[in-house]
Amino acid sequence: MKFKIIIGTLALAAGVTVAGAQTTPPVTTPAAGAAAQGGGGRARGGSAFTDGVAPETKYNYNDLWKPFFYTKNGDEFRAADGQPGPKYWQNRADYKINAKIDTTKNEVTGSEVISYTNNSPQKIDFVWMWLDQNLFKMDSRGVKQVPLVNDPQRGIVQSSRNWGNGQVFDAGDKIKSVKIISTVNGKATTTDAKFLINDTRMQVFVPKGIAANGGKIQFKIEWSFISPDYGSDRMGITYTKEGKTYQVAQWYPRMCVYDDLQGWNTLPYTGESEFYLEYGDFDLNITAPAKDIVVCSGELLNAKDVYTPEQLKRWAIAEKSEKTVFIRKPEEVLSPASRPSGKSELTWHFQIKNSRDASWGASAAYVLDAAKIDLPSGRKSTAISAYPVALAARAARTTEMVKASIEYNSKKWYEFPYPAATTAIGRAGGMEYPGIIFVSGSSWGTLDHEFGHNWFPMVVGSNERLYGWMDEGFNTFINTLSTAFALKGEFYRPAGQPSATGFTRPSLEPILSNPDNLKEANNGTLLYSKPSAGLVMLREQILGPERFDFAFRTYIERWAYKHPAPDDFFRTMEAASGESLQWFWRGWFVNNWQLDQAVRNVSYVDKDPTKGAIITIDNLEKMAMPLTIEIKTVSGKTDRVNYTAEIWERNVSWSFKYPSTEAIESVTIDPDHKLPDANPANNVWTAKK
């Protein structure tokens, strides 16, 4: 308060005025209200207008619009407006890995040094790491969760996308040693560390602990594993007459995330849900037979050691070319001259910085092509495609499409950060890693989707294990725009009406569910299409493109290379758009509520269409949305009336006066079919003939 002292009569008068202003007036008719104000003031009160018999409704506006959506206040770690707080922290893991692939045994053997930084305010006495290859052991938790199905050809069998297809082999990570590296007076020594393996996780004990607020430690680990032929549709081996093609992922012991929300995030990898990883720099040396070409996340640092002089010339052309340039042509694949001579093995040296992961592919059968990616800042990046020669005809446009996808999203949302965007075609149907994707084909939809993941979750590092919709759903959403505008919309097809049966049928779990807590058949809806449809409605029907796009970019920029949770996204979208959206989050993401808006009736003032029409709309299900109402009169004229969702904030029905000058022929809710209405039949009122 500015005024601390109010004297005498002024204070009394002020008090009377405030009291009068804050007293709820009695319900009166408009005429009586006007009389009470001396005929000059604003009329208040009056009985509510009703038009016909209200239908039964499930809608409770208190349930949808009640306050206290957020269960905790913002703090110094995560602010109330959705941005990282002044004391936000996250830990860091840097990797130096030397690995070798034995293509006879399908075995990868490796040695790594992990440099781990504890930026948390707590001392850490043990760490957790992922041993993802243990999923493919026949006694793993993931394999034991694979359900039975009645297959027409095979009978009653276990079946799922999320395991090794029942392959019986010597699966799992073999940990040869785990050591702690200590440096005293410039001299490094190693001591054996106690470790405990449980399914896909390894706990490593640190006797002296890792100090808080920047304490560092190094672990040296030696390990090996045999690759599954099919690795939960995320890795695997393709066998062709020209040779094996490997997609290698989840291939090294890697740090679990320790954060301010969960502490150690150690939900086991059971194949259904994906990953949550720390950021850091990767230095990778991969040794393979000399006949093989290796592609990997990041930048190749020793091209002169692993490509022929002719191929190096082609690389130099490709890195400046808007058109696809062959590095290794299909007709060259079986020629010894297409590989450096004189050695049986070659070591490929890759580096990627500020990344949460790294993956690679290897094959003697690779055709290789590339082209320049044009980024907004002018920074250099290259689109690279590696595919078995048997797929050369079908993969011919791969680099062109990847280039277009990345250029669009870089300009629209946030610049692609990696020095290369590599497509490695092989066994996995579609899987994303920083700067590289694994696919089995080269359709626009697959390539655009998998590279869209370089924004979610590679740049915006959400917890896929808990919130799969925050990467799959957000990525599916940005795919709708890249498909519409990249390559001049060549692959765009107008979307149909969002399906109430598909998105809000009672058998569905809510979007805000752990992916491991969903029926596998529902993953496509709840992780991909339903959250994407929610963002499309938020952009097109609630906020409008300009406000939405600014808010969405703000979210990406705030949380680039950090670990956002759902509240951080929800709060950022509200703060940056200036709109309370808690009703929308509650209905579409937290609950599985249906939408059913209906035209109840059309009547005329004094039964005369020239004096105006009263149109009544009902909200019959638990969800609400804005209204677009198309009104067509008997002469054929059409008009539209729009209402924001706030009309449902304290109403289950809504009547409004439309200034008609003639009889109305029809009234239609959602005339463009943009909303997932559960009963489209009641969206239209037609005058009786």
Side-chain angles (χ1 to χ4, degrees), residues 112 114 133 173 185 187 229 301 335 411 548 567 658:
E112 69 178 352
I114 305 174
Q133 290 297 318
D173 282 304
N185 296 325
K187 183 179 180 181
D229 290 345
L301 300 182
S335 170
K411 185 176 180 181
F548 177 94
D567 275 8
Y658 177 74

Side-chain angles (χ1 to χ4, degrees), residues 156-426:
I156 299 174
V157 294
Q158 281 184 296
S159 181
S160 172
R161 180 189 180 195
N162 302 311
W163 64 323
N165 267 356
Q167 179 186 0
V168 178
F169 68 110
D170 187 16
D173 282 304
K174 314 295 191 300
I175 302 300
K176 181 178 179 181
S177 66
V178 179
K179 299 180 184 293
I180 296 174
I181 301 175
S182 302
T183 302
V184 179
N185 296 325
K187 183 179 180 181
T189 60
T190 61
T191 56
D192 290 334
K194 178 184 176 182
F195 62 92
L196 177 67
I197 297 173
N198 183 279
D199 198 56
T200 54
R201 300 154 303 176
M202 177 170 69
Q203 186 179 25
V204 180
F205 298 91
V206 182
K208 296 181 180 179
I210 311 170
N213 301 314
K216 297 179 182 295
I217 193 171
Q218 288 187 313
F219 301 98
K220 183 176 182 180
I221 303 173
E222 296 178 298
W223 84 100
S224 66
F225 71 93
I226 294 174
S227 173
D229 290 345
Y230 173 86
S232 192
D233 206 29
R234 298 186 176 105
M235 62 173 297
I237 309 170
T238 301
Y239 296 85
T240 66
K241 64 180 181 180
E242 294 83 12
K244 300 175 184 178
T245 297
Y246 293 88
Q247 295 168 324
V248 185
Q250 295 86 55
W251 59 285
Y252 58 97
R254 51 191 184 170
M255 297 299 303
C256 298
V257 171
Y258 184 79
D259 66 19
D260 61 302
L261 299 175
Q262 302 278 339
W264 284 110
N265 286 261
T266 57
L267 284 177
Y269 176 45
T270 60
E272 183 87 12
S273 56
E274 292 182 319
F275 311 106
Y276 185 35
L277 302 166
E278 297 287 16
Y279 287 95
D281 295 341
F282 288 75
D283 189 279
L284 309 168
N285 288 289
I286 300 167
T287 301
K291 62 184 176 60
D292 284 43
I293 288 176
V294 176
V295 291
C296 183
S297 299
E299 181 179 14
L300 177 65
L301 300 182
N302 65 332
K304 62 182 178 59
D305 298 330
V306 293
Y307 285 110
T308 68
E310 176 61 28
Q311 289 165 350
L312 292 173
K313 293 178 184 178
R314 294 173 183 176
W315 273 117
I317 295 170
E319 289 170 353
K320 298 177 181 178
S321 174
E322 299 294 337
K323 301 292 184 181
T324 301
V325 175
F326 277 115
I327 310 301
R328 191 195 202 194
K329 300 177 181 179
E331 61 269 24
E332 296 172 342
V333 166
L334 297 179
S335 170
S338 71
R339 301 297 304 124
S341 60
K343 294 183 179 180
S344 61
E345 294 180 335
L346 293 173
T347 297
W348 301 67
H349 186 190
F350 294 91
Q351 183 181 82
I352 186 168
K353 295 185 176 182
N354 205 16
S355 179
R356 70 201 290 270
D357 197 8
S359 297
W360 52 281
S363 180
Y366 274 156
V367 175
L368 203 64
D369 65 43
K372 173 189 176 185
I373 296 174
D374 297 308
L375 296 177
S377 70
R379 188 175 49 81
K380 174 185 172 184
S381 188
T382 307
I384 302 168
S385 296
Y387 42 91
V389 65
L391 300 178
R394 284 182 283 169
R397 294 189 66 190
T398 302
T399 292
E400 174 197 358
M401 290 189 282
V402 168
K403 170 180 165 67
S405 174
I406 289 177
E407 287 177 353
Y408 176 82
N409 285 319
S410 292
K411 185 176 180 181
K412 179 69 176 176
W413 303 117
Y414 188 92
E415 187 168 286
F416 180 76
Y418 306 116
T422 301
T423 303
I425 297 180

Side-chain angles (χ1 to χ4, degrees), residues 145-147 159-163 230 232-234 269-274 430-431 449 453 464-476 502-503 505 507-533:
Q145 291 181 27
V146 175
S159 181
S160 172
R161 180 189 180 195
N162 302 311
W163 64 323
Y230 173 86
S232 192
D233 206 29
R234 298 186 176 105
Y269 176 45
T270 60
E272 183 87 12
S273 56
E274 292 182 319
M431 186 59 199
H449 180 79
H453 275 301
E464 297 179 276
R465 188 64 48 89
L466 278 178
Y467 310 116
W469 60 274
M470 290 183 72
D471 72 289
E472 297 294 358
F474 291 6
N475 181 27
T476 302
F503 291 151
R505 63 184 181 273
S507 61
L508 283 179
E509 304 92 343
I511 291 174
L512 264 173
S513 301
N514 178 341
D516 288 330
N517 196 215
L518 303 176
K519 289 289 187 183
E520 187 174 343
N522 294 342
N523 280 357
T525 299
L526 295 172
L527 302 182
Y528 296 73
S529 57
K530 184 174 179 179
S532 171

